[in-house]
Amino acid sequence: EAQVTQNPRYLITVTGKKLTVTCSQNMNHEYMSWYRQDPGLGLRQIYYSMNVEVTDKGDVPEGYKVSRKEKRNFPLILESPSPNQTSLYFCASSLFSGWDRANTEAFFGQGTRLTVV
Amino acid sequence: GNSVTQMEGPVTLSEEAFLTINCTYTATGYPSLFWYVQYPGEGLQLLLKATKADDKGSNKGFEATYRKETTSFHLEKGSVQVSDSAVYFCARTSGSRLTFGEGTQLTVNP
């Protein structure tokens, strides 16, 4: 089954304790991205990756890191989490970022609800 | 910058009512436009898309037409069902990226 898998689904952590949220896709997609979802703000892009070893900042990259060493994986790293990073996080992938093409769509994981206390 | 503005929610309708959720976008470039739907506890799923002016996207009874003159992409459905209860997001392309609106919560009551 084609899917984007995030882990963990739920995480409560303390301020300053490094954490990683994993994201894996089995569709051989080139493009992967991380978003955070907050009430009244919709989805805001954190980082995206056009291909292996190619990453770029989105709208809200501060406090986050990413890496793309393999095509299928795109982990999100919080080196020193703070309470303002409490949010619902989504990973997404797409065959490529040519959104005009007929069969291009973004596939989303089920989300990771992170609470930083 | 490139942005998307959706009508404020939440929206509550009775079953079989007509639905409109407004979406407008900033008129920069020639974006593709999308509606995504998020059911409770799940990630977003593509509902429909339109890639150029006057295109109409449609799926599951939902429709939206790309209106360049009004920079709009309003979502409509003639007769909603309880199972349509979800959060709906309008989105546009910004180069290689997708920019989402704030989301509109729809609740359909029996």
Side-chain angles (χ1 to χ4, degrees):
Chain A
E1 181 189 352
Q3 58 185 3
V4 178
T5 303
Q6 293 179 229
N7 279 297
R9 292 289 309 278
Y10 302 91
L11 179 60
I12 301 175
T13 190
V14 296
T15 299
K17 184 177 180 182
K18 181 179 178 180
L19 68 90
T20 299
V21 184
T22 63
C23 174
S24 179
Q25 50 92 4
N26 63 359
M27 296 169 277
N28 201 35
H29 284 172
E30 294 178 356
Y31 185 94
M32 297 186 75
S33 181
W34 276 103
Y35 294 87
R36 59 179 289 173
Q37 183 179 8
D38 301 290
L41 298 175
L43 271 76
R44 294 179 293 167
Q45 192 176 46
I46 303 170
Y47 270 94
Y48 64 100
S49 170
M50 305 267 287
N51 214 326
V52 175
E53 302 290 3
V54 180
T55 63
D56 210 343
K57 296 178 181 178
D59 297 314
V60 288
E62 295 77 20
Y64 304 95
K65 284 175 56 178
V66 293
S67 69
R68 188 89 181 275
K69 294 184 170 58
E70 309 163 279
K71 201 170 189 179
R72 62 183 292 126
N73 295 323
F74 191 46
L76 179 69
I77 302 155
L78 285 71
E79 294 271 3
S80 182
S82 62
N84 65 11
Q85 292 178 298
T86 293
S87 187
L88 179 59
Y89 291 87
F90 286 101
C91 179
S93 76
S94 176
L95 187 58
F96 35 59
S97 63
W99 303 107
D100 295 345
R101 303 188 196 195
N103 60 346
T104 299
E105 68 176 271
F107 292 83
F108 283 79
Q110 291 197 292
T112 295
R113 186 165 293 282
L114 172 65
T115 302
V116 184
V117 298
Chain B
N2 296 326
S3 66
V4 173
T5 303
Q6 290 182 231
M7 66 183 286
E8 287 189 23
V11 174
T12 303
L13 296 172
S14 298
E15 205 164 23
E16 298 184 3
F18 185 85
L19 168 72
T20 300
I21 300 178
N22 290 339
C23 171
T24 57
Y25 62 94
T26 50
T28 51
Y30 301 94
S32 293
L33 302 173
F34 306 81
W35 278 100
Y36 277 81
V37 58
Q38 182 182 30
Y39 298 105
E42 298 183 11
L44 281 71
Q45 304 172 27
L46 179 65
L47 181 59
L48 53 85
K49 67 189 280 187
T51 58
K52 61 184 187 298
D54 300 324
D55 268 2
K56 177 186 282 189
S58 61
N59 186 24
K60 299 181 181 179
F62 291 90
E63 292 183 343
T65 301
Y66 191 142
R67 303 278 188 207
K68 192 175 180 194
E69 63 276 10
T70 54
T71 63
S72 65
F73 192 56
H74 305 322
L75 183 68
E76 296 182 335
K77 186 175 186 182
S79 176
V80 293
Q81 306 301 313
V82 172
S83 57
D84 293 327
S85 297
V87 181
Y88 292 82
F89 290 90
C90 186
R92 62 158 287 164
T93 53
S94 302
S96 60
R97 298 166 51 189
L98 279 181
T99 300
F100 288 86
E102 305 87 352
T104 301
Q105 172 78 54
L106 170 66
T107 301
V108 181
N109 295 318

